Amino acid sequence: MQFYNIERFSKRLPWGSVSYLKAGKGIPFLIFIHGAGNNAEVWMDVFPYLKDIATAIAVDLPGHGYSAYRSINGVDDYSRCVIDFIETLGVERPVLVGHSMGGAISIKIAAHYRNLSGLILVGTGAHLKVNPRLLKMLEEDFSGAVDLMAKWSFLKGISGDLIEKSREMLFLAGQEVLLQDMRVCDGYSGETDLERIKIPTLIVCGKEDVMTPVSLSMELYERIRGSKISLIDGSGHMVQLEKSGELGRMMVSFIRESIEE
């Protein structure tokens, strides 16, 4: 599906410029937050499914895509950056959509920030421990680590074009930023945040996700009161690339059924 009215904008925050993609029209606003080493463009295939019922905004986190670099020490730092971005935009009660590390950021924000109307968590969890061997590999063999991460991110046998797209995105982030992101994931815990989330929440995970397995999503579903869960057949970690249409339609249903206008 093609969608031609996707525009790029930027906002100046006190520490630098934040770049973002915007498409669609209407309320609610959906703020999309990408995962480790990715950028806003990873969400573009989902945008067409939302164009008539919501305004989609995908942000480049600091140091990713076209956003200025900023040293980040943990999920709390990223969360503050996203809140600053939302407030600079002047958006009231958006729905947060977070994938992987972006889901961790979204959980942290949703637990402490009241200007939200909903939450969509994709391939994430309340903890995102990273294999120490991968962290060491990112330091000593960046190219090899990127190849491994790109391969692990998709269902076995998926199109080589998607794996290459993911690989190029990780290389674009670069060694410093990707290693920073993976350390952020490794040090993250959202266990105490889950009971604080009081907004409509949709949890989505690919059934074949080996990066953030289904068990992590089930934990979110069990501990976030009133949440809904959808598992997607034939998908690994990168649901928004592997099954963009299915994910987009799930989001539409969730918005129509659960989000107040």
Side-chain angles (χ1 to χ4, degrees):
M1 178 183 285
Q2 292 181 314
F3 183 59
Y4 298 102
N5 191 29
I6 300 176
E7 299 179 277
R8 183 171 285 279
F9 301 92
S10 65
K11 285 288 184 182
R12 291 182 181 177
L13 273 62
W15 52 268
S17 179
V18 171
S19 184
Y20 63 99
L21 298 174
K22 183 177 180 181
K25 59 184 178 180
I27 296 173
F29 285 81
L30 273 62
I31 307 293
F32 290 80
I33 308 172
H34 61 75
N38 290 174
N39 60 56
E41 293 183 6
V42 77
W43 295 107
M44 288 176 63
D45 290 349
V46 179
F47 280 11
Y49 299 91
L50 303 164
K51 63 180 181 177
D52 294 324
I53 69 160
T55 300
I57 295 173
V59 62
D60 285 336
L61 291 172
H64 300 73
Y66 293 91
S67 287
Y69 174 78
R70 185 184 189 188
S71 179
I72 297 292
N73 294 314
V75 166
D76 284 345
D77 286 352
Y78 272 137
S79 298
R80 282 190 289 270
C81 290
V82 173
I83 290 171
D84 288 346
F85 171 69
I86 292 171
E87 293 184 343
T88 299
L89 282 179
V91 173
E92 292 295 326
R93 294 179 54 76
V95 176
L96 284 189
V97 185
H99 174 246
S100 198
M101 183 184 76
I105 295 165
S106 300
I107 288 170
K108 187 66 65 174
I109 294 171
H112 301 280
Y113 185 63
R114 299 306 170 202
N115 181 33
L116 300 175
S117 64
L119 180 64
I120 302 175
L121 302 172
V122 183
T124 191
H127 45 88
L128 299 172
K129 298 301 291 183
V130 179
N131 189 315
R133 288 167 49 197
L134 178 59
L135 290 173
K136 186 175 178 62
M137 194 173 182
L138 283 165
E139 293 176 343
E140 299 177 355
D141 179 13
F142 180 64
S143 179
V146 165
D147 287 345
L148 196 60
M149 288 178 66
K151 181 180 177 182
W152 284 350
S153 293
F154 294 92
L155 182 71
K156 188 175 181 180
I158 200 73
S159 164
D161 290 343
L162 285 181
I163 296 175
E164 182 58 27
K165 182 176 183 177
S166 180
R167 184 184 288 117
E168 286 302 315
M169 200 171 292
L170 296 173
F171 269 112
L172 180 63
Q175 184 176 26
E176 181 178 1
V177 168
L178 184 54
L179 185 56
Q180 172 182 270
D181 283 355
M182 297 308 285
R183 286 172 174 161
V184 164
C185 289
D186 192 53
Y188 158 71
S189 174
E191 297 283 347
T192 61
D193 294 320
L194 302 183
E195 282 77 14
R196 297 174 61 100
I197 297 174
K198 309 296 184 184
I199 52 178
T201 301
L202 172 65
I203 298 155
V204 182
C205 188
K207 284 189 176 180
E208 307 302 324
D209 190 337
V210 298
M211 297 284 278
T212 54
V214 169
S215 58
L216 293 179
S217 288
M218 290 303 301
E219 180 187 10
L220 298 179
Y221 173 61
E222 290 165 1
R223 295 185 58 191
I224 299 176
R225 183 176 298 178
S227 61
K228 301 177 181 180
I229 189 166
S230 293
L231 304 179
I232 297 182
D233 288 320
S235 182
H237 187 55
M238 300 299 288
V239 177
Q240 66 273 59
L241 295 178
E242 295 174 271
K243 296 286 185 174
S244 57
E246 195 166 342
L247 178 60
R249 287 186 288 271
M250 285 178 180
M251 290 181 180
V252 170
S253 294
F254 174 68
I255 291 166
R256 287 177 171 162
E257 294 169 5
S258 304
I259 305 301
E260 296 179 3
E261 293 187 4

